[in-house]
Coordinates of all heavy atoms in Angstrom, one line a residue:
M484 N -3.9 27.3 -12.3 CA -4.2 26.5 -13.5 C -4.7 25.1 -13.1 O -4.3 24.5 -12.2 CB -3.0 26.3 -14.4 CG -2.4 27.6 -14.9 SD -3.4 28.3 -16.2 CE -2.6 27.5 -17.6
S485 N -5.8 24.8 -13.7 CA -6.3 23.5 -13.3 C -6.4 22.6 -14.5 O -6.3 23.0 -15.7 CB -7.7 23.5 -12.8 OG -8.5 24.3 -13.8
I486 N -6.4 21.3 -14.3 CA -6.5 20.3 -15.3 C -7.9 20.4 -16.1 O -8.9 20.4 -15.4 CB -6.3 18.9 -14.8 CG1 -4.9 18.8 -14.2 CG2 -6.5 17.9 -15.8 CD1 -4.8 17.6 -13.3
C487 N -7.8 20.4 -17.4 CA -9.1 20.5 -18.1 C -9.1 19.6 -19.2 O -8.5 19.6 -20.3 CB -9.1 21.9 -18.7 SG -10.7 22.3 -19.4
P488 N -9.9 18.3 -18.9 CA -9.9 17.3 -19.9 C -10.6 17.7 -21.1 O -11.6 18.4 -21.1 CB -10.7 16.3 -19.1 CG -11.0 16.8 -17.8 CD -10.6 18.1 -17.7
K489 N -10.0 17.3 -22.3 CA -10.6 17.7 -23.5 C -11.8 17.1 -23.8 O -12.8 17.6 -24.4 CB -9.6 17.4 -24.6 CG -9.8 18.2 -25.9 CD -8.6 18.3 -26.7 CE -8.6 19.5 -27.7 NZ -7.3 19.6 -28.5
N490 N -11.9 15.7 -23.5 CA -13.1 15.0 -23.7 C -13.6 14.3 -22.4 O -12.7 13.7 -21.7 CB -12.9 13.9 -24.8 CG -12.5 14.5 -26.0 OD1 -13.3 15.3 -26.6 ND2 -11.4 14.2 -26.6
K491 N -14.9 14.4 -22.1 CA -15.4 13.7 -20.9 C -15.4 12.2 -21.2 O -15.9 11.8 -22.2 CB -16.8 14.2 -20.6 CG -17.3 13.7 -19.4 CD -18.7 14.2 -19.1 CE -19.3 13.7 -17.8 NZ -20.5 14.4 -17.3
S492 N -14.8 11.5 -20.2 CA -14.9 10.0 -20.4 C -16.3 9.6 -19.8 O -16.7 10.0 -18.8 CB -13.7 9.3 -19.6 OG -13.5 10.0 -18.3
S493 N -16.7 8.6 -20.5 CA -18.1 8.1 -20.2 C -18.0 7.4 -18.8 O -16.9 7.0 -18.4 CB -18.6 7.1 -21.2 OG -17.7 6.0 -21.3
K494 N -19.2 7.1 -18.2 CA -19.2 6.3 -16.9 C -18.6 5.0 -17.1 O -17.8 4.6 -16.1 CB -20.6 6.2 -16.5 CG -21.2 7.4 -16.0 CD -22.7 7.2 -15.6 CE -23.4 8.6 -15.3 NZ -24.9 8.4 -15.2
G495 N -18.8 4.3 -18.2 CA -18.1 3.0 -18.4 C -16.8 3.0 -18.5 O -16.0 2.2 -17.9
H496 N -16.3 4.0 -19.3 CA -14.8 4.2 -19.4 C -14.1 4.5 -18.0 O -13.1 3.9 -17.7 CB -14.6 5.3 -20.3 CG -13.2 5.4 -20.8 ND1 -12.6 4.7 -22.0 CD2 -12.0 6.0 -20.3 CE1 -11.4 5.0 -22.1 NE2 -11.0 5.8 -21.1
R497 N -14.8 5.4 -17.3 CA -14.2 5.8 -16.0 C -14.2 4.6 -15.0 O -13.3 4.3 -14.3 CB -15.0 6.9 -15.5 CG -14.6 7.4 -14.2 CD -15.8 8.1 -13.5 NE -16.9 7.2 -13.1 CZ -18.0 7.6 -12.8 NH1 -18.4 8.9 -12.9 NH2 -19.0 6.7 -12.6
D498 N -15.3 3.9 -15.0 CA -15.5 2.8 -14.0 C -14.6 1.6 -14.4 O -14.1 0.9 -13.5 CB -17.0 2.3 -14.0 CG -17.8 3.4 -13.4 OD1 -17.3 4.4 -12.8 OD2 -19.0 3.4 -13.6
Q499 N -14.4 1.4 -15.6 CA -13.4 0.3 -16.0 C -12.1 0.6 -15.6 O -11.3 -0.4 -15.3 CB -13.5 0.2 -17.6 CG -12.9 -1.1 -18.1 CD -13.6 -2.3 -17.5 OE1 -14.8 -2.4 -17.5 NE2 -12.7 -3.3 -17.1
R500 N -11.7 1.8 -15.6 CA -10.3 2.1 -15.0 C -10.2 1.7 -13.6 O -9.1 1.4 -13.1 CB -10.2 3.6 -15.2 CG -8.7 4.1 -15.3 CD -8.6 5.6 -15.2 NE -9.4 6.2 -16.2 CZ -10.2 7.3 -16.0 NH1 -10.2 7.9 -14.9 NH2 -11.0 7.8 -17.0
R501 N -11.3 1.8 -12.8 CA -11.2 1.5 -11.4 C -11.6 0.0 -11.1 O -11.8 -0.3 -9.9 CB -12.1 2.5 -10.6 CG -11.6 3.9 -10.9 CD -12.7 4.9 -10.4 NE -12.3 6.3 -10.6 CZ -13.1 7.4 -10.5 NH1 -14.3 7.1 -10.0 NH2 -12.6 8.6 -10.7
A502 N -12.0 -0.7 -12.1 CA -12.6 -1.9 -11.9 C -11.6 -3.1 -11.3 O -12.0 -3.9 -10.6 CB -13.2 -2.5 -13.2
N503 N -10.3 -2.9 -11.7 CA -9.4 -3.9 -11.3 C -8.5 -3.5 -10.2 O -7.4 -4.1 -10.1 CB -8.5 -4.3 -12.6 CG -9.5 -4.9 -13.7 OD1 -10.2 -5.8 -13.4 ND2 -9.3 -4.5 -14.9
W504 N -8.9 -2.7 -9.5 CA -8.0 -2.2 -8.4 C -7.7 -3.3 -7.3 O -6.6 -3.5 -6.9 CB -8.7 -1.0 -7.6 CG -8.5 0.4 -8.2 CD1 -8.0 0.6 -9.4 CD2 -8.6 1.6 -7.5 NE1 -7.9 2.0 -9.7 CE2 -8.2 2.6 -8.5 CE3 -9.1 2.0 -6.2 CZ2 -8.3 3.9 -8.1 CZ3 -9.1 3.3 -6.0 CH2 -8.8 4.3 -6.9
K505 N -8.7 -4.0 -7.0 CA -8.6 -5.0 -5.9 C -7.8 -6.3 -6.4 O -7.6 -7.2 -5.6 CB -9.9 -5.3 -5.3 CG -10.5 -4.2 -4.4 CD -11.8 -4.6 -4.0 CE -12.4 -3.3 -3.2 NZ -13.8 -3.6 -2.7
M506 N -7.5 -6.3 -7.7 CA -6.9 -7.5 -8.3 C -5.5 -7.6 -7.8 O -5.0 -8.7 -7.5 CB -7.0 -7.6 -9.8 CG -8.5 -7.6 -10.3 SD -9.3 -9.1 -9.9 CE -8.4 -10.2 -11.0
S507 N -4.8 -6.6 -7.7 CA -3.4 -6.5 -7.4 C -3.2 -6.9 -5.8 O -3.8 -6.3 -5.0 CB -2.8 -5.3 -7.7 OG -3.5 -4.2 -6.9
V508 N -2.4 -8.0 -5.7 CA -2.0 -8.3 -4.3 C -1.1 -7.4 -3.7 O -0.1 -7.0 -4.4 CB -1.5 -9.8 -4.3 CG1 -1.1 -10.2 -2.9 CG2 -2.4 -10.8 -5.0
P509 N -1.3 -6.8 -2.4 CA -0.4 -5.9 -1.9 C 1.0 -6.5 -1.7 O 1.1 -7.6 -1.2 CB -1.0 -5.7 -0.5 CG -2.0 -6.7 -0.2 CD -2.5 -7.2 -1.6
S510 N 2.0 -5.8 -2.1 CA 3.4 -6.3 -2.0 C 3.8 -6.3 -0.6 O 3.8 -5.3 0.1 CB 4.3 -5.4 -2.9 OG 4.1 -4.1 -2.5
M511 N 4.1 -7.6 -0.2 CA 4.5 -7.8 1.2 C 6.0 -8.2 1.2 O 6.5 -8.9 0.3 CB 3.7 -8.8 1.8 CG 2.2 -8.6 1.8 SD 1.8 -7.5 3.1 CE 1.6 -8.6 4.5
G512 N 6.7 -7.7 2.2 CA 8.1 -8.1 2.4 C 8.3 -8.9 3.7 O 7.2 -9.1 4.4
K513 N 9.4 -9.5 3.9 CA 9.5 -10.3 5.1 C 10.5 -9.5 6.1 O 11.5 -8.9 5.7 CB 10.3 -11.6 4.7 CG 9.3 -12.6 4.3 CD 9.9 -14.0 4.2 CE 8.9 -15.1 3.8 NZ 9.5 -16.4 3.7
C514 N 10.1 -9.5 7.4 CA 10.9 -8.9 8.5 C 12.3 -9.5 8.5 O 12.4 -10.8 8.5 CB 10.2 -9.0 9.8 SG 11.1 -8.5 11.1
S515 N 13.3 -8.7 8.6 CA 14.6 -9.2 8.5 C 15.0 -9.8 9.8 O 16.0 -10.7 9.9 CB 15.7 -8.1 8.2 OG 15.5 -7.0 9.2
K516 N 14.2 -9.6 10.8 CA 14.5 -10.2 12.1 C 13.7 -11.5 12.4 O 14.4 -12.5 12.7 CB 14.3 -9.2 13.2 CG 14.9 -9.6 14.6 CD 14.4 -8.6 15.7 CE 14.9 -9.2 17.1 NZ 14.3 -8.4 18.1
C517 N 12.5 -11.4 12.3 CA 11.6 -12.5 12.7 C 11.0 -13.2 11.5 O 10.5 -14.3 11.6 CB 10.4 -12.2 13.6 SG 9.2 -11.0 12.8
G518 N 11.0 -12.6 10.3 CA 10.7 -13.3 9.1 C 9.2 -13.3 8.9 O 8.6 -13.8 8.0
A519 N 8.5 -12.4 9.7 CA 7.0 -12.3 9.5 C 6.7 -11.3 8.3 O 7.5 -10.6 7.9 CB 6.4 -11.6 10.7
L520 N 5.5 -11.5 7.6 CA 5.2 -10.8 6.5 C 4.8 -9.3 7.0 O 4.0 -9.2 7.9 CB 3.9 -11.3 5.9 CG 4.3 -12.6 4.9 CD1 2.9 -13.2 4.5 CD2 5.1 -12.2 3.7
V521 N 5.6 -8.4 6.4 CA 5.2 -7.0 6.7 C 5.1 -6.1 5.5 O 5.7 -6.5 4.5 CB 6.4 -6.5 7.6 CG1 6.3 -7.0 9.1 CG2 7.8 -6.8 7.0
L522 N 4.3 -5.1 5.7 CA 4.2 -4.2 4.6 C 5.5 -3.3 4.4 O 6.0 -3.0 5.5 CB 2.9 -3.3 4.8 CG 1.5 -3.9 4.7 CD1 0.5 -3.0 5.4 CD2 1.2 -4.1 3.2
P523 N 5.8 -3.0 3.2 CA 7.0 -2.1 3.1 C 6.9 -0.7 3.8 O 5.7 -0.2 3.7 CB 7.2 -2.0 1.6 CG 6.0 -2.4 1.0 CD 5.3 -3.4 2.0
H524 N 8.0 -0.3 4.3 CA 8.0 1.1 5.0 C 7.0 1.0 6.3 O 6.5 2.0 6.6 CB 7.5 2.2 4.2 CG 8.4 2.2 2.9 ND1 7.9 1.9 1.6 CD2 9.7 2.3 2.6 CE1 8.7 2.0 0.7 NE2 10.0 2.2 1.3
R525 N 6.9 -0.2 6.9 CA 6.1 -0.3 8.1 C 6.9 -1.0 9.1 O 7.8 -1.9 8.8 CB 4.8 -1.0 7.8 CG 3.8 -0.4 6.9 CD 3.3 0.9 7.4 NE 2.1 1.3 6.5 CZ 2.2 1.9 5.4 NH1 3.4 2.1 4.8 NH2 1.2 2.2 4.6
V526 N 6.7 -0.6 10.4 CA 7.3 -1.4 11.5 C 6.7 -2.8 11.6 O 5.5 -3.0 11.5 CB 7.2 -0.6 12.8 CG1 7.8 -1.3 13.9 CG2 7.8 0.8 12.7
C527 N 7.6 -3.8 11.8 CA 7.1 -5.1 11.9 C 6.3 -5.2 13.3 O 6.8 -4.8 14.4 CB 8.2 -6.1 12.0 SG 7.8 -7.7 12.4
K528 N 5.1 -5.7 13.2 CA 4.3 -5.7 14.4 C 4.6 -6.8 15.2 O 4.3 -6.8 16.4 CB 2.7 -5.8 13.9 CG 2.1 -4.5 13.6 CD 0.8 -4.6 13.2 CE 0.1 -3.3 12.7 NZ -1.2 -3.5 12.2
A529 N 5.2 -7.8 14.7 CA 5.6 -9.0 15.5 C 6.7 -8.7 16.5 O 6.7 -9.2 17.6 CB 6.0 -10.2 14.6
C530 N 7.8 -8.0 16.0 CA 8.9 -7.8 16.9 C 9.3 -6.4 17.1 O 10.1 -6.0 17.8 CB 10.2 -8.6 16.3 SG 10.7 -8.1 14.7
G531 N 8.5 -5.5 16.3 CA 8.8 -4.0 16.6 C 10.1 -3.6 16.0 O 10.6 -2.7 16.5
T532 N 10.5 -4.1 14.9 CA 11.7 -3.8 14.3 C 11.5 -3.1 12.9 O 10.6 -3.5 12.2 CB 12.6 -5.1 14.1 OG1 12.8 -5.6 15.4 CG2 13.9 -4.7 13.5
Y533 N 12.3 -2.2 12.7 CA 12.2 -1.5 11.3 C 13.7 -1.2 11.0 O 14.4 -0.6 11.7 CB 11.4 -0.2 11.3 CG 11.4 0.4 9.9 CD1 10.7 -0.2 8.9 CD2 12.1 1.6 9.7 CE1 10.6 0.3 7.6 CE2 12.0 2.2 8.4 CZ 11.3 1.5 7.4 OH 11.4 2.0 6.2
N534 N 14.1 -1.6 9.7 CA 15.4 -1.3 9.3 C 16.5 -1.9 10.2 O 17.5 -1.1 10.6 CB 15.7 0.2 9.0 CG 16.8 0.4 8.1 OD1 17.2 -0.5 7.5 ND2 17.1 1.7 7.8
K535 N 16.2 -3.1 10.7 CA 17.1 -3.8 11.6 C 17.3 -3.1 13.0 O 18.3 -3.3 13.6 CB 18.5 -4.1 11.0 CG 18.2 -5.1 9.8 CD 19.7 -5.2 9.1 CE 19.5 -6.0 7.8 NZ 20.7 -6.2 7.0
K536 N 16.5 -2.2 13.4 CA 16.5 -1.5 14.6 C 15.2 -1.7 15.4 O 14.2 -1.6 14.8 CB 16.8 -0.1 14.4 CG 18.1 0.3 13.9 CD 18.3 1.8 13.7 CE 19.6 2.2 13.0 NZ 19.6 3.5 12.6
Q537 N 15.4 -1.8 16.7 CA 14.2 -1.9 17.6 C 13.6 -0.5 17.7 O 14.2 0.4 18.0 CB 14.7 -2.4 18.9 CG 13.5 -2.9 19.8 CD 12.9 -4.2 19.4 OE1 13.7 -5.1 18.9 NE2 11.7 -4.4 19.6
V538 N 12.3 -0.5 17.1 CA 11.7 0.8 17.2 C 10.6 1.0 18.2 O 10.5 1.9 19.0 CB 11.0 1.0 15.8 CG1 10.4 2.5 15.7 CG2 12.0 0.9 14.7
I539 N 9.7 0.0 18.3 CA 8.8 -0.1 19.4 C 8.9 -1.2 20.4 O 9.4 -2.3 20.0 CB 7.3 -0.1 18.7 CG1 7.2 -1.1 17.8 CG2 7.1 1.3 18.1 CD1 5.8 -1.4 17.3
K540 N 8.3 -1.0 21.5 CA 8.4 -2.2 22.5 C 7.3 -3.2 22.2 O 6.1 -2.8 21.9 CB 8.3 -1.7 23.9 CG 9.5 -1.2 24.5 CD 9.5 -1.0 26.0 CE 10.8 -0.6 26.5 NZ 10.7 -0.3 28.0
V541 N 7.6 -4.4 22.2 CA 6.6 -5.5 22.0 C 6.3 -6.2 23.3 O 7.4 -6.8 23.8 CB 7.0 -6.4 20.8 CG1 5.9 -7.4 20.6 CG2 7.3 -5.6 19.6
E542 N 5.1 -6.3 23.7 CA 4.8 -7.0 24.9 C 4.8 -8.6 24.7 O 4.3 -8.9 23.5 CB 3.5 -6.6 25.4 CG 3.3 -5.1 25.7 CD 4.1 -4.7 26.9 OE1 4.2 -5.4 27.9 OE2 4.6 -3.5 26.8
D543 N 5.3 -9.3 25.5 CA 5.4 -10.7 25.3 C 4.1 -11.4 25.7 O 3.5 -11.1 26.6 CB 6.6 -11.4 26.1 CG 7.9 -10.9 25.5 OD1 8.0 -11.0 24.2 OD2 8.8 -10.6 26.2
Ligands
LIG1108 ZN1 9.8 -8.8 12.9

């Protein structure tokens, strides 16, 4: 079964839906160890820590 839209949305209607994508600022968190700005669910690139655990080695 596939999705079957009842009415085709016009180009303007469709494009307007995608017009404001870049407006939202990506939600950033702070690393619990070094305090650097990190994306959620990502290893901190500054100190290599995720969930208060050392995950990757960071060269000094
Ligand atoms: Zn960090």
Side-chain angles (χ1 to χ4, degrees):
M484 296 287 267
S485 59
I486 297 164
C487 194
K489 202 161 198 176
N490 296 302
K491 181 174 181 172
S492 42
S493 64
K494 285 174 189 172
H496 190 92
R497 180 203 63 197
D498 293 347
Q499 193 58 44
R500 202 186 308 140
R501 300 166 183 174
N503 296 315
W504 272 19
K505 287 176 183 174
M506 295 298 284
S507 59
V508 180
S510 55
M511 301 281 277
K513 277 189 179 180
C514 174
S515 55
K516 193 187 175 189
C517 69
L520 281 172
V521 285
L522 288 163
H524 309 113
R525 299 290 195 282
V526 177
C527 174
K528 281 180 184 174
C530 62
T532 300
Y533 181 71
N534 203 4
K535 294 174 185 176
K536 285 177 189 170
Q537 193 76 30
V538 183
I539 52 169
K540 277 191 177 181
V541 182
E542 305 290 328
D543 288 318

